[in-house]
Amino acid sequence: MRPHFSGCGRPLCETLDELHLGALRVQDLSLIQVLVGPDKNDGVGPRYLSLNNRRLWVWKRLWEEGLLESGVVPVRVREAKNRGEREQ
């Protein structure tokens, strides 16, 4: 995983530091996009894939450090838009 967000170039650790200091709030983080894949009828259910692994890493760190009230991460679940997304 690269140490910077791809869109803005901001370092992940800087974002985490700002959350610790209160300069940034958890509510200010963008939603994580999650793709829902087909259910292969294997008893496991549909497959889910995060498109925002860096953001997910920040949420995971906050949870590990006890800075989240719940383990719930707000996401936006959607179907794959094209073949490339479906094959991930």
Side-chain angles (χ1 to χ4, degrees):
M1 182 173 66
R2 296 183 190 266
H4 298 84
F5 286 105
S6 58
C8 63
R10 171 189 224 148
L12 297 178
C13 290
E14 181 180 307
T15 301
L16 197 55
D17 289 343
E18 289 186 10
L19 287 161
H20 287 136
L21 295 171
L24 187 65
R25 299 174 307 147
V26 173
Q27 299 87 339
D28 297 330
L29 297 175
S30 299
L31 291 177
I32 293 174
Q33 290 189 68
V34 174
L35 296 181
V36 60
D39 187 342
K40 296 181 180 180
N41 294 320
D42 57 2
V44 176
R47 197 177 100 193
Y48 294 91
L49 175 74
S50 168
L51 294 180
N52 309 109
N53 290 330
R54 294 175 193 93
R55 208 169 301 144
L56 186 59
W57 179 87
V58 170
W59 279 95
K60 184 178 177 184
R61 290 299 308 250
L62 292 171
W63 173 252
E64 290 170 349
E65 295 171 11
L67 299 173
L68 295 179
E69 292 179 16
S70 74
V72 177
V73 175
V75 300
R76 183 176 78 107
V77 179
R78 67 174 177 82
E79 299 286 332
K81 292 181 181 177
N82 55 48
R83 183 178 178 185
E85 286 185 349
R86 281 190 295 276
E87 293 176 355
Q88 287 192 20

